[in-house]
Amino acid sequence: MSIKQIMLITDGESNVGVSPIEVAKIAKKNDIVVNTIGIVKNKDIEEPLREVEEVALNGGGICEITSLESLEKVLSMVTVQSIHRTIEEVVNKELREIIDKDIKEISPKERKKIVEMMDKLGDEVSIKCLMILDTSGSMKYKINVAKRSILELFRFLKERSGETEIGIITYPGEEGFYNILCDFTQDINYLEEKIEKISIGGTTPTGPALEGGIDMILGKEKNVFSEYMV
């Protein structure tokens, strides 16, 4: 079993290119979970980031709105929750096919066995996690915390027995909508080296960056969208 997920980190809404909500729908159809983290100064008084919430909803993922100070903790939390939710969906599908019930409908004793199996899968499953990081001008004073949070997430995931690969896309790119900063890797030193090269400034083309992320995960060259975008 292998889990493919995108983690979108941003502090605002897109302002150029295709709708990221529509792209998130395409990701879900290709078995890619899109999680989102919206960074705000004070989540108790600021308006919620509606687009960020809708992207996660349509991408089958989890959305968390957080302060910059809590980003590191929230990033790990969302990743783990997403992994377990994906595993639960797979297990429920199998249960329904075999006994026409899901995990909530079986006896507590049998449920305990399945939960233990799911926990084991969570530790052993292969994960391909693509970080899509907003590096537009508004992220200037947040980027260092975002960098550190990504590295800490990688260290956390590497403690599992399963294979972990992390890649990074930043947006906007120097010559386009986005930049593939780091292809999928299991080497934290390589990841750290690439992260140090992040630059800040420009617009917020979230949708095109998500398109690039889907192509990167699937190993395709921009042909995954042909049947949806005609």
Side-chain angles (χ1 to χ4, degrees), residues 57-82:
L57 178 64
N58 286 279
I62 297 167
C63 173
E64 280 290 332
I65 307 299
T66 182
S67 64
L68 185 62
E69 293 75 18
S70 300
L71 177 60
E72 186 176 312
K73 179 177 71 174
V74 168
L75 186 57
S76 295
M77 179 190 73
V78 170
T79 303
V80 171
Q81 287 179 349
S82 178

Side-chain angles (χ1 to χ4, degrees), residues 10-13 38-53 63-66:
T10 181
D11 67 345
E13 298 192 345
I39 304 171
V40 295
K41 289 182 180 179
N42 190 327
K43 67 177 183 178
D44 295 323
I45 63 173
E46 289 189 49
E47 287 291 319
L49 299 173
R50 297 294 184 194
E51 182 181 78
V52 173
E53 294 173 346
C63 173
E64 280 290 332
I65 307 299
T66 182

Side-chain angles (χ1 to χ4, degrees), residues 49-227:
L49 299 173
R50 297 294 184 194
E51 182 181 78
V52 173
E53 294 173 346
E54 286 294 318
V55 168
L57 178 64
N58 286 279
I62 297 167
C63 173
E64 280 290 332
I65 307 299
T66 182
S67 64
L68 185 62
E69 293 75 18
S70 300
L71 177 60
E72 186 176 312
K73 179 177 71 174
V74 168
L75 186 57
S76 295
M77 179 190 73
V78 170
T79 303
V80 171
Q81 287 179 349
S82 178
I83 291 167
H84 282 279
R85 190 161 85 171
T86 301
I87 290 170
E88 183 175 345
E89 288 173 354
V90 171
V91 170
N92 275 334
K93 182 180 177 182
E94 292 294 322
L95 285 173
R96 280 191 289 269
E97 290 180 357
I98 296 170
I99 60 174
D100 198 27
K101 294 181 180 179
D102 65 24
I103 191 171
K104 295 176 183 176
E105 298 174 301
I106 62 178
S107 68
K109 182 179 179 181
E110 293 302 316
R111 188 184 310 147
K112 183 173 182 289
K113 294 178 183 178
I114 292 174
V115 169
E116 289 172 352
M117 178 197 71
M118 288 167 57
D119 289 340
K120 189 171 184 290
L121 276 173
D123 183 64
E124 296 177 350
V125 69
S126 296
I127 300 170
K128 183 168 279 193
C129 183
L130 178 62
M131 316 300 299
I132 299 186
L133 179 61
D134 178 358
T135 55
S136 60
S138 62
M139 286 287 291
K140 181 177 181 181
Y141 299 107
K142 304 164 188 168
I143 198 64
N144 286 334
V145 175
K147 289 178 183 179
R148 185 174 69 243
S149 299
I150 291 171
L151 289 171
E152 285 306 310
L153 172 64
F154 196 19
R155 293 187 181 100
F156 170 75
L157 291 175
K158 289 290 282 183
E159 292 178 359
R160 302 163 50 260
S161 60
E163 183 178 276
T164 298
E165 292 182 285
I166 284 188
I168 302 175
I169 279 180
T170 58
Y171 69 99
E174 293 179 3
E175 299 180 359
F177 284 132
Y178 63 90
N179 174 49
I180 298 177
L181 184 76
C182 177
D183 206 345
F184 287 106
T185 182
Q186 299 181 53
D187 185 343
I188 193 165
N189 294 321
Y190 177 72
L191 184 69
E192 191 167 12
E193 177 187 323
K194 290 293 185 179
I195 280 178
E196 288 307 311
K197 297 178 180 179
I198 289 176
S199 58
I200 297 295
T203 56
T204 313
T206 310
L210 280 171
E211 285 184 337
I214 294 170
D215 287 330
M216 184 172 162
I217 290 174
L218 297 179
K220 298 183 178 182
E221 297 184 359
K222 298 187 184 295
N223 57 1
V224 70
F225 300 98
S226 58
E227 65 180 287

Side-chain angles (χ1 to χ4, degrees), residues 22 25-30 223-230:
E22 295 305 313
K25 294 175 183 177
I26 297 170
K28 186 176 181 180
K29 289 179 180 178
N30 283 275
N223 57 1
V224 70
F225 300 98
S226 58
E227 65 180 287
Y228 303 104
M229 296 304 183
V230 293

